[in-house]
Amino acid sequence: DAGVTQSPTHLIKTRGQQVTLRCSPKSGHDTVSWYQQALGQGPQFIFQYYEEEERQRGNFPDRFSGHQFPNYSSELNVNALLLGDSALYLCASSPALGDRASFNYGYTFGSGTRLTVV
Amino acid sequence: LAKTTQPVSMDSYEGQEVNITCSHNNIATNDYITWYQQFPSQGPRFIIQGYKTKVTNEVASLFIPADRKSSTLSLPRVSLSDTAVYYCLVGGVYNFNKFYFGSGTKLNVKP
């Protein structure tokens, strides 16, 4: 059973460019959350998607946007990249709302996408 | 949102039991406590989750006192491969969650 899959694993972009990161949730999960983790810091919550809508959002500017597709996969888009956007971007999935009993196993995280902005 | 406080770092030796305590004074009634382990350049890995009293699985135990304002992750007989950052999170499970990570506890296991 595949876990959470993220692509690409590494990415180098120039300041001012735009980037799209992709995530496929674990089988049976339909909620996807995105986190940004700077070097030496804990992951910071960006937003969460369920039923193709953004349900929760952390303290991130509008340059950060996302999308969820009918198959539950998700994209994170960042526009007008800044040097400070360099980080590990993590995707986490969780099971359906109607199956909260299995939530006792927490979120499943992918291995992340390492974004470097130069 | 419950804020968590953990020690920045801890040292231990192989074969010892390690206890990492997390404070969460503002935990809400419907909040669960979840611990994650993270190795460098990898995503966090779920360790254990609980609501109250004691929970045990094949890798760890979680102790939660009656007031739930703190919790203790217990790792029995640690090995070098347990060297990692450990995060304590609190959040509800019956709504849309946005778990907030603190800075975690860097556990360094020595031979």
Side-chain angles (χ1 to χ4, degrees):
Chain A
D1 180 23
V4 177
T5 304
Q6 292 188 243
S7 64
T9 56
H10 295 83
L11 200 55
I12 300 176
K13 288 287 189 178
T14 302
R15 188 172 49 183
Q17 284 188 316
Q18 178 265 344
V19 68
T20 297
L21 310 181
R22 296 176 176 80
C23 171
S24 293
K26 181 179 178 180
S27 177
H29 290 186
D30 64 355
T31 303
V32 173
S33 302
W34 287 92
Y35 287 80
Q36 178 196 67
Q37 186 172 28
L39 201 61
Q41 304 292 320
Q44 301 296 310
F45 176 79
I46 303 175
F47 44 52
Q48 181 183 74
Y49 276 84
Y50 171 69
E51 290 188 333
E52 303 179 46
E53 291 187 13
E54 183 182 292
R55 300 291 180 165
Q56 297 278 5
R57 190 176 182 93
N59 188 26
F60 278 80
D62 292 343
R63 298 188 297 110
F64 290 77
S65 63
H67 188 79
Q68 186 179 34
F69 299 93
N71 66 352
Y72 310 127
S73 66
S74 177
E75 289 182 349
L76 164 65
N77 302 293
V78 186
N79 295 322
L81 285 167
L82 304 173
L83 296 179
D85 294 331
S86 295
L88 180 67
Y89 287 84
L90 297 163
C91 172
S93 71
S94 60
L97 289 179
D99 188 21
R100 276 310 184 190
S102 64
F103 185 81
N104 283 331
Y105 298 97
Y107 283 95
T108 300
F109 282 83
S111 295
T113 294
R114 172 70 63 187
L115 172 64
T116 301
V117 182
V118 298
Chain B
L1 293 168
K3 178 181 178 180
T4 60
T5 303
Q6 304 174 232
V8 173
S9 64
M10 295 181 66
D11 289 331
S12 182
Y13 290 93
E14 282 191 292
Q16 288 188 332
E17 178 185 73
V18 171
N19 296 309
I20 305 174
T21 297
C22 177
S23 296
H24 28 79
N25 293 318
N26 297 321
I27 189 169
T29 302
N30 63 345
D31 282 345
Y32 277 67
I33 300 156
T34 311
W35 285 80
Y36 287 86
Q37 174 194 57
Q38 187 178 29
F39 299 111
S41 297
Q42 293 187 24
R45 183 179 73 96
F46 174 90
I47 301 175
I48 198 166
Q49 184 181 75
Y51 184 79
K52 60 181 179 180
T53 63
K54 177 183 175 181
V55 180
T56 297
N57 62 21
E58 62 277 8
V59 298
S61 294
L62 178 60
F63 299 91
I64 306 169
D67 65 5
R68 305 199 327 121
K69 294 183 182 300
S70 67
S71 59
T72 299
L73 173 71
S74 181
L75 304 172
R77 300 179 299 281
V78 294
S79 64
L80 295 177
S81 63
D82 292 318
T83 294
V85 178
Y86 292 81
Y87 293 98
C88 161
L89 286 76
V90 294
V93 299
Y94 296 111
N95 54 11
F96 293 108
N97 302 293
K98 42 179 176 177
F99 286 117
Y100 284 89
F101 287 76
S103 298
T105 297
K106 175 69 169 69
L107 174 65
N108 184 29
V109 180
K110 304 174 183 178

